[in-house]
Amino acid sequence: MKSYRYLHGILILSLLCIVLVACDNTAIFYTLEKAYKTSDDRGLDDTASVLKIVYTGAGGKYFINAQSVYQRDPGTTANWQLVTPPASGALCGGLEYFDGDIVAWFYNSSDRKPVGLYSRDPSSAPGDPWTEITDDSWPTDNDWPDLRFSIHFVKAAGTELFVSTAVYHADESDPDYKETFYNLYYASSITGIDDFYPCFGTDLDSTILDVEWDGSDYWLITNPDASGVYLYQNTVSGDPSDFSDFGAGSPDFSYNSDDPQGTLYTPHSLYFASGRLYLSGWHGRIYFHDGLNWSTWDGDPETVTVNKRDYTVQFRGFVESVPSGQIFVGSSTYGYYSFSDSLPGPVSAADLTRQPAQSLYEYPPIELVNGAITSFLLNTDEDPDVLFACTAGAGLWRGDWDTTKWVWVQE
Amino acid sequence: MPKKLIIVLLAALLFFYLSAGPVFTQEAPEEAPPEEPFIVYSLGQQTLSISAGLFIPLFFQSFDWEYAKTNLKLGAVGSLQWGIHLSNNWMTGLEVGGVLSKDINDASFFMLPITAKAAYIIHFFPFEFPIFVGTGLNIVKLEDVLNLTWIIKPGFSSIWKYNINWGFGLNVVYWWVPQFWSDDRDKGRMGNFLELTLTAQYNF
């Protein structure tokens, strides 16, 4: 009987020890007290993948590409409205605001064949039709089964609108022949007919990922080709009609055996802010060009440890968070990071801070901590300033600036 | 929904009261006998109880006496209790409970108190009114964050004795859950909650 009593005591003590060891260093009641409602439902699906958001300027509207295009007015009450696509079943593959128009690329949801490039007046009603943009510069004949045309992105930079194209060739008589040719086209205005000109006289064999204007020059990045070339600069300053390999001095995207296993050596985005051109990489590093040289990265990439294993952070799009004096950069899995826009760097992982910087449950939405943030948009026309974060699979988040930090809510 | 449940609870109380009326009427002697203590329980008798009902978050209070809302929604609570009677009026026992609620963002919130309990039972046949206090450990969980706290649960019950073994009634219990936080004293909070439960008890 006595031994049973001891046994019970040991069991209870063991249970208590297990609970004590499992306890977290987060005060739950305090955390609950500080919680705020992170939903501001504006009619969007909370699990939508939002690729991009654009703003058409003061008195204008927001448009998003969530495969379908939605629009809403600025302000605290407006809801998102679905913009009728140009054809039934058409999905949006690229969206931009340029020269007073919304420009969007659509493809067919069932077979991914191109529907076309379209524009619309942003002040038009959601149900109003789109206007097709045709151009002889690229093939559009979908009836030819050996060829597939697509647009990878649509982006305004400097004074131009750029579209990144891919043309897939196959030959029914030669099953081994499969090639994709990539190019970038630019237009200074949109009339709807033959507005675009190629940036490369000869197509590239790597996907063109992004293009940016740094105030004087155009830059573009591609997937690294067989020679490791991925960074191009306009041949003549300010002229997008020809680009050449930047060559020596390009940031390092070569394999590094010290990096965690599975690291991808691919650039992702270019972004110009505060006199610098920033370049993000899927290999956990960020570089900048200060007008003279590209920076170098010191040491290990930015990593996140999960279950005692290090994973390289895959950086994506940037935004300058003007109210907080920071640059934010999204990632594919681990939310977003920040660095000061007045730093001499960032030149190492120590210069980056994973955001939101307050600890989990105090009370950042977990979707922004452990999610994929594809792009941002800052709008200082609204009062308070708002910052949008587009996510993959977690809808659209809006940060309202409360004079010290962004307070995130899901639209 | 909460209003409806409160109405149901009040109706149940009213039912117990009304059903007790005829008992008094029928059994009341024409001449009241000399008052004697009414003995229901004796040393060693045991009671098992099961309770279920509403968990009402009231407020948080800092140790600087500032109040704040809990940001928790109305929840559900249930408990199992074992008690042993020391006399007709005194009982001691153990209770294991569980609370399930959600915060304003629908994050899951749980509490699992394990308490020792002492009760003083006032008899008013066929009713009993135990006044009790329990204290012990409380496991608190918000999503995947876990804390261990101390808990004090004072309260009272109204039990209608259906027969010598079975009783049914209502518990009203105040949960006071101080969460001291030595890492940062400003994060210490006292949780204040209310339990309203229907209960069934079995004596043997």
Side-chain angles (χ1 to χ4, degrees):
Chain A
M1 188 68 187
K2 208 170 185 180
S3 61
Y4 276 120
R5 210 175 288 164
Y6 283 130
L7 192 62
H8 289 159
I10 289 167
L11 278 173
I12 290 166
L13 275 175
S14 304
L15 193 66
L16 198 61
C17 287
I18 289 168
V19 172
L20 280 172
V21 167
C23 280
D24 295 282
N25 192 28
T26 299
I28 288 177
F29 289 172
Y30 173 81
T31 300
L32 280 168
E33 182 186 307
K34 299 299 176 194
Y36 67 90
K37 196 161 175 55
T38 56
S39 172
D40 178 20
D41 189 6
R42 301 290 188 96
L44 278 184
D45 181 0
D46 290 347
T47 61
S49 289
V50 183
L51 301 174
K52 189 171 182 178
I53 177 170
V54 296
Y55 177 57
T56 62
K61 289 179 179 149
Y62 294 110
F63 286 80
I64 57 167
N65 172 13
Q67 293 201 296
S68 296
V69 176
Y70 295 83
Q71 67 176 48
R72 83 158 170 86
D73 293 323
T76 54
T77 56
N79 284 334
W80 291 100
Q81 296 173 288
L82 177 67
V83 177
T84 307
S88 175
L91 298 180
C92 183
L95 179 78
E96 186 55 288
Y97 174 65
F98 177 73
D99 196 25
D101 284 322
I102 291 295
V103 179
W105 161 252
F106 289 92
Y107 62 94
N108 197 307
S109 59
S110 58
D111 58 8
R112 300 187 71 84
K113 285 188 174 179
V115 172
L117 189 66
Y118 290 83
S119 71
R120 67 186 290 114
D121 180 348
S123 63
S124 57
D128 288 351
W130 294 77
T131 304
E132 185 166 12
I133 299 170
T134 59
D135 203 294
D136 288 340
S137 300
W138 55 64
T140 54
D141 185 358
N142 304 321
D143 298 329
W144 187 20
D146 289 351
L147 181 145
R148 177 74 60 84
F149 173 78
S150 68
I151 285 180
H152 185 68
F153 68 76
V154 183
K155 181 176 178 178
T159 57
E160 313 294 335
L161 178 70
F162 292 89
V163 293
S164 162
T165 63
V167 182
Y168 172 74
H169 284 254
D171 188 341
E172 283 184 339
S173 61
D174 180 4
D176 294 333
Y177 178 77
K178 289 174 184 170
E179 293 284 347
T180 305
F181 301 96
Y182 302 92
N183 211 325
L184 188 69
Y185 289 81
Y186 70 96
S188 301
S189 62
I190 298 296
T191 64
I193 302 171
D194 297 339
D195 297 315
F196 289 89
Y197 301 92
C199 296
F200 290 94
T202 305
D203 290 337
L204 302 180
D205 57 6
S206 298
T207 309
I208 297 169
L209 301 172
D210 200 6
V211 62
E212 185 59 300
W213 162 254
D214 73 358
S216 58
D217 289 302
Y218 288 101
W219 298 78
L220 69 84
I221 51 175
T222 69
N223 275 328
D225 66 12
S227 310
V229 173
Y230 71 91
L231 180 65
Y232 296 82
Q233 187 183 22
N234 53 214
T235 308
V236 176
S237 184
D239 180 2
S241 65
D242 191 31
F243 283 79
S244 49
D245 168 19
F246 185 75
S250 298
D252 186 8
F253 277 83
S254 59
Y255 172 75
N256 186 330
S257 60
D258 292 336
D259 291 350
Q261 202 176 359
T263 298
L264 297 174
Y265 297 90
T266 306
H268 189 277
S269 289
L270 291 165
Y271 180 73
F272 181 69
S274 300
R276 287 175 170 183
L277 181 66
Y278 292 96
L279 168 62
S280 64
W282 284 45
H283 63 340
R285 295 171 172 91
I286 288 165
Y287 303 95
F288 61 90
H289 189 263
D290 60 5
L292 296 173
N293 300 299
W294 281 99
S295 63
T296 55
W297 186 264
D298 184 21
D300 295 332
E302 181 69 37
T303 57
V304 169
T305 305
V306 179
N307 295 330
K308 297 181 180 175
R309 185 182 160 185
D310 288 339
Y311 292 87
T312 301
V313 176
Q314 299 174 341
F315 289 121
R316 303 181 73 145
F318 295 90
V319 72
E320 183 171 23
S321 167
V322 174
S324 62
Q326 293 170 306
I327 305 283
F328 290 162
V329 55
S331 78
S332 292
T333 312
Y334 305 111
Y336 67 102
Y337 287 71
S338 71
F339 52 90
S340 168
D341 60 5
S342 57
L343 259 187
V347 293
S348 72
D351 292 335
L352 303 177
T353 303
R354 190 175 177 188
Q355 293 284 343
Q358 62 267 42
S359 57
L360 204 60
Y361 298 110
E362 281 186 23
Y363 204 91
I366 197 162
E367 291 87 342
L368 293 184
V369 178
N370 288 325
I373 298 180
T374 51
S375 61
F376 295 95
L377 174 77
L378 174 71
N379 186 4
T380 55
D381 286 345
E382 292 221 44
D383 186 19
D385 296 344
V386 293
L387 177 65
F388 290 93
C390 303
T391 73
L396 179 70
W397 288 79
R398 188 188 74 244
D400 297 319
W401 183 249
D402 77 348
T403 72
T404 59
K405 64 182 183 300
W406 295 107
V407 179
W408 291 104
V409 292
Q410 189 180 34
E411 293 209 338
Chain B
M1 184 67 180
K3 276 184 185 170
K4 281 183 184 170
L5 282 171
I6 289 167
I7 290 167
V8 169
L9 290 173
L10 290 174
L13 266 183
L14 189 64
F15 170 74
F16 294 147
Y17 175 76
L18 292 175
S19 58
V23 174
F24 289 121
T25 310
Q26 289 164 10
E27 294 183 1
E30 289 180 2
E31 287 181 22
E35 283 191 14
E36 288 179 7
F38 190 83
I39 304 299
V40 179
Y41 305 114
S42 57
L43 178 65
Q45 269 192 285
Q46 297 179 60
T47 300
L48 285 175
S49 301
I50 185 167
S51 305
L54 293 176
F55 173 76
I56 304 169
L58 297 177
F59 57 90
F60 288 140
Q61 188 180 18
S62 74
F63 290 97
D64 298 327
W65 313 112
E66 289 176 355
Y67 296 86
K69 58 186 177 182
T70 63
N71 289 319
L72 287 170
K73 296 176 181 173
L74 194 68
V77 59
S79 64
L80 289 171
Q81 178 197 295
W82 168 81
I84 185 161
H85 293 270
L86 306 176
S87 69
N88 190 36
N89 295 106
W90 286 97
M91 189 189 77
T92 185
L94 291 172
E95 187 177 58
V96 177
V99 161
L100 171 61
S101 182
K102 298 249 180 193
D103 81 347
I104 50 171
N105 292 310
D106 286 333
S108 298
F109 174 78
F110 300 97
M111 285 202 285
L112 186 80
I114 303 163
T115 53
K117 189 172 175 180
Y120 182 81
I121 304 165
I122 300 168
H123 296 279
F124 189 65
F125 187 80
F127 286 105
E128 289 176 1
F129 299 100
I131 300 166
F132 51 83
V133 63
T135 186
L137 295 174
N138 184 28
I139 299 166
V140 187
K141 199 165 186 289
L142 175 66
E143 288 287 317
D144 53 356
V145 177
L146 190 73
N147 291 165
L148 187 65
T149 69
W150 176 47
I151 186 171
I152 297 179
K153 291 168 62 179
F156 66 90
S157 303
S158 302
I159 306 290
W160 170 59
K161 292 295 287 183
Y162 172 70
N163 59 27
I164 194 68
N165 294 117
W166 285 96
F168 304 96
L170 173 74
N171 298 323
V172 180
V173 191
Y174 196 92
W175 292 36
W176 187 66
V177 189
Q179 185 169 53
F180 304 104
W181 206 253
S182 55
D183 291 351
D184 182 351
R185 289 175 56 85
D186 290 342
K187 291 185 177 177
R189 292 290 183 275
M190 292 174 273
N192 294 267
F193 313 98
L194 190 67
E195 169 192 329
L196 285 179
T197 46
L198 293 172
T199 187
Q201 70 175 40
Y202 179 72
N203 301 103
F204 56 100

